[in-house]
Amino acid sequence: MNIIRFTNVNNLREEIFRMPLEQYVLVQLDDREIELDPHCVHRFTEIASEIDSTLTYSYFRERNSDGSIMLHPVNDYQPGSVRDDFDFGPLVLLNAADVLSATEDFSGEESDMLDGGWYSLRLRITIGKMMAMIPEYLYTATRADYRKSGEKQHDYVDPRNRAYQLQMEKALTDHLRQIDGLVTPGTIIVDYDCEEFPVEASVVIPVRNRARTVMDAVNSALQQNCDFDFNVIVVDNDSTDGTREMLEKVSDPRLKLIKVSSDENLGIGGCWNRALLSEHCGRFAVQLDSDDLYNSPDVLRTIVSKFRAGSYGMVIGSYMMVDFEGNPIPPGLISHEEWTDTNGPNNALRINGFGAPRAFFTPIARKILFPNVSYGEDYAMALRISREYSIGRIYDPLYLCRRWEGNSDAALSIEKTNANNNYKDCLRSIELMARVRQNMQNRPTHGMPFPDFGSMMNPDGDPDRPWLEDDGFDDFDDFDDFDGDDQDLPF
């Protein structure tokens, strides 16, 4: 079986038509050199045939520039694996008939996309289809990216990638429309004065073993200049390096120290819940990591003003990437300007984060609560809030995100990176299925045409997002339903 180098969807279709009639095609997704193991193709096609897989991929090895070999496992594909950077490895086996069927009505626009339409293609062919990830190392590829995990994590907000990001957003929006997973943000009005709170705002700082940085964070919070009462809730998660002792010496009564013991088994999310449910928590709970800083004494006032000017379940600011001394470093300002009030909650399923600093209307956060984990807890909360509530954005920098050797995500192994990505894909799966089910339940009759969201999704006629203008929706009557009862979710 020959390997087809994927360049764009149209060329892939032409290659399939030119080849001898075969059920599967082996497709290479990038330009790395690949060495197939002797029985690689047999193993791919055998498993794909056994389960009628539309897309099959496997673990692989990477050859470093010095000739050494490192193992590269990959993740299982989930319903929520809709991020455009999902790692299949450089080699996939595709069902040829599924490719031709899924791309029959592809316009030239998909093939002209910067990724050749690969993201659109794999979203489309996986709807209602089986996929197979083979946890065996079946080939070796040259290693292409030597950057550490901390250096790669902000690629999706690099301004140089804006055209690509807009194309990926359009592809995901089309996909969500097809499976009835689009949401219209801001469907619930927020009453900020529905109950009394001890203060208007609380800065929440979970911490464990950050003696070197925690007082910088605490001081930047206590130095906020506000015309309302606020406090700083520090949740010390059984620190053993002197962090707790430093905090106990702070005499400012606005500092509220919650002491967590090791037998409580709390992650960052669990620490957040302790702060939210505390009697000290204010109306708005505002995030500050224990090694980061607010960039001015006006941050808290700016965030609360944003809440009060709208009807938001959550407000998110922008931050500057800096070194430990506060000097700007690439990629600089992270403002998440890819966000729009109209389509941001949908596009959020594709990207890896919402931004910082994050602030929550406490009653909403108390109702949802954070998962008790130390990665993705904020993403889980923001996804859930964005399903029903508007999110306010502040595009001016409010926050200094310090990169230093103590960052927990500075240099992750491939196994840890996979575990993190797998968890966020799980969060996306849960949220996506919840959104589809919500949309199904909100329609009076299953199979009714989509409501016309177009005019609501782009009221300002955003020239960068013409696909959100009012072009109407096709009727959605059926999808690949395995048992024919029209009740399965469409993926």
Side-chain angles (χ1 to χ4, degrees), residues 432-452:
L432 180 57
M433 288 187 280
R435 292 179 181 196
V436 171
R437 188 168 299 280
Q438 173 180 273
N439 290 342
M440 286 179 165
Q441 292 172 345
N442 288 345
R443 287 201 307 275
T445 303
H446 177 66
M448 292 290 288
F450 279 117
D452 184 359

Side-chain angles (χ1 to χ4, degrees), residues 433-485:
M433 288 187 280
R435 292 179 181 196
V436 171
R437 188 168 299 280
Q438 173 180 273
N439 290 342
M440 286 179 165
Q441 292 172 345
N442 288 345
R443 287 201 307 275
T445 303
H446 177 66
M448 292 290 288
F450 279 117
D452 184 359
F453 292 123
S455 58
M456 292 184 285
M457 292 183 67
N458 197 29
D460 300 322
D462 186 347
D464 285 330
R465 291 169 169 78
W467 64 87
L468 298 182
E469 294 179 359
D470 186 3
D471 57 359
F473 290 83
D474 295 332
D475 289 357
F476 185 88
D477 183 57
D478 202 9
F479 43 76
D480 226 340
D481 185 79
F482 294 112
D483 55 15
D485 63 3

Side-chain angles (χ1 to χ4, degrees), residues 184-201:
T184 304
T187 57
I188 298 179
I189 303 301
V190 181
D191 179 6
Y192 294 132
D193 299 309
C194 60
E195 58 183 282
E196 295 295 322
F197 289 89
V199 292
E200 181 75 350

Side-chain angles (χ1 to χ4, degrees), residues 71-299:
L71 300 180
H72 193 119
V74 293
N75 284 338
D76 269 317
Y77 198 90
Q78 303 180 51
S81 297
V82 294
R83 52 192 170 90
D84 57 274
D85 64 349
F86 185 89
D87 182 13
F88 295 100
L91 194 67
V92 296
L93 186 78
L94 302 179
N95 183 299
D98 288 346
V99 171
L100 295 177
S101 175
T103 59
E104 188 173 6
D105 61 345
F106 262 37
S107 65
E109 182 180 340
E110 280 87 359
S111 283
D112 290 339
M113 293 173 72
L114 292 170
D115 71 339
W118 165 247
Y119 183 50
S120 293
L121 171 61
R122 63 100 159 169
L123 288 177
R124 189 174 295 198
I125 64 174
T126 55
I127 296 176
K129 299 289 185 178
M130 184 68 71
M131 298 179 64
M133 188 280 288
I134 307 173
E136 303 165 13
Y137 297 94
L138 297 179
Y139 62 94
T140 302
T142 55
R143 186 176 177 185
D145 193 342
Y146 287 84
R147 293 178 299 164
K148 295 179 180 180
S149 57
E151 298 170 336
K152 295 186 285 188
Q153 65 176 333
H154 293 105
D155 287 354
Y156 68 103
V157 290
D158 190 327
R160 293 172 295 182
N161 297 331
R162 178 165 173 76
Y164 174 85
Q165 293 297 326
L166 289 170
Q167 290 178 354
M168 298 304 102
E169 180 184 355
K170 179 185 184 305
L172 178 65
T173 303
D174 291 343
H175 175 69
L176 295 177
R177 179 183 299 130
Q178 186 174 3
I179 65 172
D180 202 7
L182 284 174
V183 295
T184 304
T187 57
I188 298 179
I189 303 301
V190 181
D191 179 6
Y192 294 132
D193 299 309
C194 60
E195 58 183 282
E196 295 295 322
F197 289 89
V199 292
E200 181 75 350
S202 293
V203 176
V204 176
I205 307 175
V207 63
R208 175 173 168 79
N209 291 341
R210 282 287 187 266
R212 183 178 173 186
T213 62
V214 68
M215 291 313 302
D216 293 340
V218 168
N219 289 331
S220 80
L222 290 174
Q223 290 167 5
Q224 292 299 295
N225 180 19
C226 302
D227 53 3
F228 51 78
D229 292 334
F230 73 95
N231 60 28
V232 179
I233 303 176
V234 180
V235 184
D236 178 69
N237 195 1
D238 196 42
S239 291
T240 58
D241 68 341
T243 293
R244 179 172 295 184
E245 290 75 13
M246 295 171 65
L247 293 167
E248 288 173 333
K249 293 178 181 178
V250 177
S251 60
D252 194 318
R254 295 174 299 171
L255 179 67
K256 310 297 180 182
L257 178 59
I258 297 176
K259 302 175 184 180
V260 174
S261 63
S262 60
D263 58 8
E264 293 183 66
N265 298 310
L266 296 189
I268 294 174
C271 291
W272 256 96
N273 292 338
R274 285 289 302 272
L276 285 170
L277 299 174
S278 163
E279 63 180 354
H280 305 299
C281 193
R283 192 181 315 275
F284 304 109
V286 186
Q287 165 255 340
L288 178 59
D289 287 349
S290 59
D291 52 359
D292 295 332
L293 307 169
Y294 293 141
N295 70 347
S296 84
D298 299 320
V299 170

